[in-house]
């Protein structure tokens, strides 16, 4: 995620970090060069280029705007829902820490074990969502045996929640928790499980592929038809205008593509590392242990 | 559901899998041929074809865009809600597995029986939503007697939830669960029941039929009026433009129709088989039994 | 509700069942005839008819599109919320049946009495929402004395929920339910009460009347101004175009009006009879009694 | 709230009750007169009036449409959320009546006292939201001492909820309610408290004032620029068209302003008196006392 | 937050308080001066300035409108969600006061201690969200030792919730609360924790920076291209029109920027001081202590 104060109006015109411009420059150049060629052919009468009527192009532009607008909305909603889920994780973990302190005692070792498993859950979920190799040393949180046990399951993040549930079940059977106490804590685990399922849903279910096809094709056809509609009145200004229009259309298209998959490491993706660190701080505070520092912003970006 | 990395810009222009193009090609051809005929009649003065003013066509295009945009939004919302419901099923089953382990014990046979009935519920619901013949061997999960018993009810999926409830009720009456423990587990069954009702609502309640009529008719009239508005200035480019416009309008129309009914086996429909498999894996992990593999993507598609 | 497979492209152009066309034909004809008159006066120079500039008409068309789009969205949201509420009723009743079986026993007469009152609630609510005479024989469900007792209250549907609550209260005071058991079942009644209040809200609170006025007036003024903007270039094609535009505008207007009040017996209204029947089937299955058949679709319509 | 059957198409064009026309007539007249003046100056060459190009006006119109559309959506959402909150109050009170009957007994005097305080809460909240003098005799519901006690608090409506909570607390300490019973009833009070806070949020937080400024100024500038764009082609028809456009823009603006503050006594505001009466009827039915009649619609309006 | 009655139509045109005009005046002036220069160059033939065709400018305007509309919606949703969270805080605190009175007794010192910590939580959260130095004397609420203890944690607001949880845990272990009583009160703390996490999410996660870049750049390019499209027909009126269009585009852009970060001290930001005071009043009323006055509106603004 890009974190910076809004630069002044001039600087913002030339900001590159977080912009989608670098990715779409080839496409803009392609359209502009094609437009130059069409203009040249028309100017020097090398070939008869008939000018298109403006109306169908305008209409196609309106339809395309509505398609891009819809896709952009849907992609942003996915991004924001993902952020909400990770924000919910923050308070579920804080509430689990608080309620387990009330029910089991502030310095109970089972309480600590559960909170550590929940941190391991957050890290494992982050890694799974990013489809990366595990970078964190999860044994640091839960110890090697619990990690080995969790690895035997199909879904590592889910396994840590299941282990927490087993620890709660033992307390319940030993009579240290009554069924209401179990419910209070189990509700938190259910919520964490719902967060995982929500994130997995977003990560595994892209927008229907037909949208991508429909939007992409219409945008291309539109941008390559545009020069024919402009050669009549604009002359050499046409390629500039075509490039500006292509910038907005390809820019929205590319941005939607980024936001649709909010869990990667693109500049506009969610800062899962920083959010995991917030959870570590909450748990350390709750356990009365020294808390780590929040992750710093590096080069305007939070991972 | 189509699962593939976004191909490069050229490949995407010619992708067919998951595209709605094959289905709407006849309609696009029809409009294009009509447009060729109108242009020919006008060019060779075989018949006097009066050119339409541009304004009412533009306006009709804007109204149609808004109608298509609305219908597309509504259809996508149904598709995404259906996906959310099946995503919720994933964590409800995981939470049921966890909480039943805490309350009844990890290796309790009743816990296993309930989880198996819940898997049968998922498979039966999938089959009912797709209006297919039962392909799965449900007796594999619940045994022949329970299946026979469930078949005597009107709604097979509902019957498995009811059986799970009866098992819980027996535990309660035997004193193995107190009323709070019953509530913890019954909440999960209620949630599964709400998922079923939500899916049945989406499957049985299409968008009001009058929308289909209104959108379809306006799109047809619009596309068949368009050539008259274009013959003045465009000549033989008119059929090409008409085909492009028809592609976007018929494409959105067809895509909305697909997403409106998200439970079928169309390329853009939801991968219910894969989601059922995820549930099987969760339950196998929770029971400490060997888990099956996730379903593979075949030819870019997940069933 | 209209239930039919999507007909082919030709048949759909002429479908009448479920269409709003019959209702708006007089208005379309009026506009078209007026347009014919204006064109005739202009053609034969019977009167000087000055041609309107296109711009303000286009703008008015855009404003009207946005107004119609907003109203259509709001009306559809009401319709879909109403459907969700009735879909929620389905699973609340199923869950009430399941939980009461667990807590009171599968064959407890009080359980049966409560479920019967809930069915009577569904039928009474349906009748109240449709503002119809009571067609169902509610005594069939609850017996004559309970019905007579409920009739003494101001709101029949509410009275059946209240009776169910009283039955639960008696079980609680007799010690057959503890307070947690009471809560489990009372939550279902609260949910049914919220469904009723939601439906009553939709039925008793139309969209602000000023919207109807604003939309209706603008649509009329627009359609009667349109001929003046078209007489310049179109000749006798003008009335046809005016009729097409009027069809889309009046069609959306009329459809919004239907969906705004989703509880009637219009073709696009909700099939409350069929939903009540689904509840009857669920309850019969839960009680182990013979279940009735689902309501059939008649002439493409489900009541 | 305006309650009337939709009149026929002609009558609707001239309906005044519930319309925003009377309020915006001066503004429409102002714009129309200005337009007459501009046309006259241009026609009789009293002054050189240069005609504006159509394009920037059209664009300004589109921007204005989007701004008005956004504001209209936001205002309607506030109005509908307010209606939902008052609809929720209906079922929370019904559920409180039902659950308190189960837990405390149907004819328990404490139950009656709590329900009376809840009715007083509804009336007090209504009065506070409307910022009116208290019209109802609240002592009728709760008796003079309780009213005097509540008046000593800063927020009268909140005080009645607090009193209900104190009554519940006494029952709990006397052992007439266990902690679960307390929770069942306290959840209802929490919900009523959330309804109050939601209504106070809507009443005290208008849309950001900058929107009002932006929309209002753009609408004015637009309508006063419009004549310059029209004088070229329209002649004396221009003032009529300007008036029609001004009617739609000022009409949406004024309607949004009304719906933004849904708790007053404007024709389109919510019928809080009628909703309070519904609550009185529910409570009377629950207590077995004679219920008052619903409030009648007077002159198409429900207060 | 700006709080004022809607001024009359004339006054509203010149209102400055709460308007974004002062901030965007330089940008509007820049565009207008550029437009004057282009017009002058064109008029006096100092340089050949080719006139742009209208179509691509119109299309760019439509795309820009949709982008600005989307960003405006997203920013407003953040602002309104933030307001909802602080409105929820009001009733959570009221409900905590009520339920703690029922469970612990109206005059219990632990109840008072918890409510004071919750007030300190509200003030600390406000300060953190505004990224300001602590202005309030938090020791006034919780006493110096508790404040010093909370300061040792990483997150001050969270620490006060944790302290409240510890107080509840002590009551539970001492048997003054059973597990259900603990749950009733802990649910309120969980809700406060979710409010904090929600506010922190909004404060720490701006809209993706790429939107700001895309919108800002398109708006600038658009406004600086506009004069070229207007010089043909408008003459010296062009700069005026350009300034009006720039006012609407830059105005929406700036307003979105303000609403995106709703926790500052801009005129349109949320009145957190006033909301904290409302909480203080609720707590004082609940404790039977003298309540402070609501914060007054100063110069039309509530902080």
């Amino acid at each position: 995620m890009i974190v910076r104060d809004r630069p002044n109006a001039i600087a913002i015109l030339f900001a590159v970090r977080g912009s989608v411009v670098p990715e779409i420059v080839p496409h803009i150049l392609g359209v502009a060069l094609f437009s130059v060629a069409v203009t040249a052919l028309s100017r020097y009468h090398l070939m008869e280029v008939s000018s298109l009527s403006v109306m169908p192009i305008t209409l196609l532009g309106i339809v395309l705007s509505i398609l891009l607008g819809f896709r952009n909305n849907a992609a942003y909603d996915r991004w924001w829902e993902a952020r909400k889920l990770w924000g919910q994780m923050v308070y579920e973990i804080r509430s689990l820490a608080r309620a387990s302190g009330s029910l089991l005692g502030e310095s109970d070792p089972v309480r600590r074990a559960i909170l550590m498993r929940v941190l391991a859950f957050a890290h494992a979920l982050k890694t799974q969502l990013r489809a990366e190799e595990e970078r964190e040393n999860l044994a640091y949180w839960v110890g090697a045996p619990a990690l080995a046990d969790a690895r035997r399951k199909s879904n590592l993040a889910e396994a840590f929640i299941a282990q927490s549930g087993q620890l709660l079940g033992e307390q319940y059977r030993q009579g240290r928790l009554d069924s209401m106490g179990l419910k209070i804590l189990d509700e938190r685990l259910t919520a964490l499980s719902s967060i995982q399922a929500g994130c997995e849903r977003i990560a595994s279910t892209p927008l229907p592929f037909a949208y991508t096809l429909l939007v992409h094709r219409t945008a291309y056809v539109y941008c390559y038809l545009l020069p024919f509609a402009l050669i009549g009145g604009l002359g050499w200004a046409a390629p500039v205008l075509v490039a500006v229009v292509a910038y907005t259309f390809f820019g929205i298209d590319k941005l939607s593509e980024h936001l649709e998959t909010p869990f990667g490491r693109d500049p506009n993706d969610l800062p899962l590392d920083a959010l995991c660190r917030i959870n570590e701080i909450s748990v350390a505070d709750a356990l009365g242990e020294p808390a780590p520092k929040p992750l710093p912003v590096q080069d305007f970006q939070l991972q």
Side-chain angles (χ1 to χ4, degrees), chain A:
Chain A
M1 196 179 64
I2 301 294
V3 179
R4 61 183 298 186
D5 292 333
R6 182 159 166 151
N8 66 53
I10 305 302
I12 219 172
L13 289 176
F14 299 98
V16 172
R17 202 85 186 81
S19 171
V20 294
V21 167
E23 292 172 87
I24 59 174
V25 153
H27 300 285
I28 297 175
L29 276 183
V31 172
L33 288 177
F34 177 75
S35 185
V36 166
V38 170
T39 310
L41 287 174
S42 161
R43 272 273 160 128
Y44 304 122
H45 303 286
L46 298 173
M47 211 179 83
E48 193 66 32
V49 181
S50 68
S51 168
L52 283 189
S53 137
V54 155
M55 191 269 282
I57 299 290
T58 305
L59 192 78
L60 211 56
I62 292 175
V63 178
L64 185 53
S65 298
I66 288 177
L67 266 178
L68 283 170
F70 162 74
R71 185 145 162 272
N72 180 50
N73 264 323
Y76 173 75
D77 282 349
R78 292 164 61 93
W79 181 86
W80 192 228
E81 190 194 353
R83 180 61 186 84
K84 280 189 177 168
L85 288 170
W86 277 81
Q88 189 191 348
M89 194 194 290
V90 169
Y91 82 79
E92 294 294 350
I93 291 179
R94 287 176 186 171
S95 299
L96 181 64
R98 190 187 58 250
S100 60
S102 296
L103 286 161
L104 298 171
E106 298 288 327
S107 52
D108 186 80
V110 174
R111 182 195 180 213
R112 192 177 191 285
I114 290 173
L115 291 176
M116 286 299 138
R117 268 156 187 79
V118 166
L119 286 185
F121 157 80
H123 282 291
L125 180 59
K126 176 188 70 180
T127 307
Q128 290 172 207
L129 291 173
R130 285 180 167 166
E132 290 180 343
E133 286 302 299
E134 214 176 292
R135 298 185 178 184
E136 320 285 338
N137 182 4
L138 293 179
Y140 173 77
W141 303 110
V142 295
L147 181 57
D149 183 59
R151 281 205 198 290
R152 272 190 290 275
K153 304 294 183 179
S154 308
N155 189 319
L156 195 59
E158 186 189 342
F160 289 121
I161 297 291
Q163 286 183 359
S164 307
Q166 285 166 355
L167 288 171
L168 288 183
E170 286 166 21
Q171 306 308 304
Y172 170 70
R173 281 187 292 273
Q174 293 167 12
R176 292 195 58 210
L177 282 175
D178 62 4
S179 58
M180 174 49 76
L182 178 65
K183 180 166 170 51
I184 294 174
L185 300 179
D186 189 70
E187 276 180 357
R188 300 281 81 75
L189 297 183
T190 298
L192 291 173
S193 203
S194 85
I195 291 167
Q196 179 182 1
C199 289
E200 287 176 347
R201 163 169 51 81
I202 292 173
S204 73
T205 312
L207 284 177
F209 187 58
Y211 279 119
T212 302
L213 294 178
L214 201 57
V215 169
H216 190 82
R217 286 169 181 172
T218 309
Y220 260 74
V221 169
Y222 179 82
C223 286
Y224 280 91
L225 282 179
L226 197 52
F228 294 98
L230 297 181
I231 40 176
L234 284 177
W236 292 110
V240 176
L241 269 180
V242 169
V244 168
V245 171
Y247 163 67
T248 55
F249 281 161
F250 292 158
I252 302 177
D253 183 37
K254 182 57 73 181
L255 183 47
S256 300
E257 199 189 319
H258 280 310
L259 296 186
E260 195 188 325
T261 53
F263 296 121
R265 288 193 179 269
D266 285 324
N268 291 303
D269 283 343
L270 294 176
L272 301 192
D273 284 336
L275 288 161
C276 281
R277 177 60 57 90
I278 287 178
N279 289 330
E280 293 174 27
I281 296 171
S282 292
V283 168
D285 273 348
L287 294 174
E289 300 175 0
K293 289 258 165 289
L295 280 193
V297 176
Q298 289 183 322
D299 192 15
F300 298 134
Q301 186 164 2
L302 206 57
Q303 285 287 350

